[in-house]
Structure formats: structure tokens, C-alpha cells
Amino acid sequence: MDQHCFSFLESSFSVINDEAMAGEKHLVNGNYIDSIFRMGKAAEFITVSISEFEGMDWLITKGQKKMLEQLAYKGKIPNDIFKKFEFIRNLRNRVAHGYIKNKEDQAYTVHKDFFDIAVFFYRKYKDNEKKSKKAYGDWMNMKLKMN
């Protein structure tokens, strides 16, 4: 998979890109549980990165839930993005404990929500819209304009 929905992250955030690409590949192949895990891990990488970029490194040892709560409280992530992070985090935990219904639908929702998180993250922390437009084309341009 050379091109995927998260290719715009590749040059600036390769670790996040690799995890998201793996999650998308699992989704396409029908491995919904693995897709949810990988997207959840990519979301956690973004949470850690935001904490670092915002000079809130001390949050990293507190776990993703506390990081997200503090980042939202301090206004570093908007409420709609916080809710998407929380949905992915909670679903990933439920999957880890064996409780999930409609795993296909849930995996597609995680993919969509993670895409919104990734666009927010990229736009805020790598202010290079031209690069993302070049990397993904008109569909990405439209998504950037919607946010």
C-alpha cells in the first residue's frame, strides 16, 4: 500500500503514519480487531506527540486517558476531537477485554474518527498544507477545507 488515507503524515510523522497504514491495511483485509488496535495505537502516538509539542511532557507517564483529559481541559485539543480520541480509546479497551459488537461497523468508525484526528494533528503541528495537498490530492484538499 504505497498510497493510503494517511500518506500525508509520512514525511513528518512516520511512526504515526506506519501505524495508521497498518490499521488501514487490516481494515481492508477484514481484520477488524487488528485494525482497531492499530488505529488505537496510532491515536495514542498522536496523544503523546501533542503532549510533547505543547510542553506537557509530564503527562506522558499518566496514561492516555489523563493525557487526553488534560489536553482538552487546557484547550490544546477541541472537544469534538477529544470525543473521537475517547471513542477510539474506549473501543480499543473493550476489544482488549473481548467485548465488542458490530466489529466491522466499529472498525470503520474508528478509521473515520482517526482520519479526523490525524488531519487536526497535521494541520496544527505541521503547518504545511501544500505538502498534504501534493501527497493526497483533491480528496485531501476537500477534507482540509471542511475542518
Side-chain angles (χ1 to χ4, degrees), residues 8 14 16-17 19 22 25 31-32 37 39 46 49-50 63-64 66 71 77 84 92 106 111 114-115 117 127 135 142:
F8 63 96
S14 61
I16 297 165
N17 170 71
E19 204 60 43
K25 186 175 181 181
N31 302 321
Y32 305 119
F37 275 124
M39 292 292 180
I46 288 179
S49 295
I50 292 171
Q64 189 180 19
K66 291 286 184 199
L71 291 169
I77 56 174
K84 291 172 192 274
R92 183 177 167 207
Q106 298 282 19
H111 185 272
F114 182 78
F115 183 82
I117 290 168
D127 191 17
M142 184 175 62

Side-chain angles (χ1 to χ4, degrees), residues 81-130:
I81 296 297
F82 170 75
K83 287 178 182 178
K84 291 172 192 274
F85 269 119
E86 276 294 284
F87 172 77
I88 293 170
R89 187 187 66 75
N90 285 323
L91 184 63
R92 183 177 167 207
N93 286 342
R94 288 198 320 264
V95 167
H97 296 287
Y99 179 74
I100 183 173
K101 294 181 180 180
N102 304 319
K103 60 186 172 185
E104 181 177 0
D105 292 341
Q106 298 282 19
Y108 277 99
T109 300
V110 166
H111 185 272
K112 178 198 162 301
D113 284 355
F114 182 78
F115 183 82
D116 293 342
I117 290 168
V119 169
F120 159 78
F121 174 72
Y122 187 84
R123 290 184 75 197
K124 184 167 183 180
Y125 297 101
K126 181 62 177 170
D127 191 17
N128 191 345
E129 227 176 296
K130 289 179 185 172

Side-chain angles (χ1 to χ4, degrees), residues 9-66:
L9 295 169
E10 188 169 11
S11 63
S12 300
F13 306 106
S14 61
V15 173
I16 297 165
N17 170 71
D18 293 348
E19 204 60 43
M21 182 177 70
E24 185 169 90
K25 186 175 181 181
H26 283 300
L27 182 67
V28 168
N29 292 329
N31 302 321
Y32 305 119
I33 299 297
D34 292 333
S35 178
I36 292 167
F37 275 124
R38 297 303 286 265
M39 292 292 180
K41 189 173 181 183
E44 193 164 0
F45 287 159
I46 288 179
T47 307
V48 168
S49 295
I50 292 171
S51 297
E52 290 173 345
F53 288 138
E54 294 295 344
M56 300 171 73
D57 302 56
W58 56 273
L59 284 173
I60 295 169
T61 61
K62 305 294 183 190
Q64 189 180 19
K65 181 178 168 120
K66 291 286 184 199

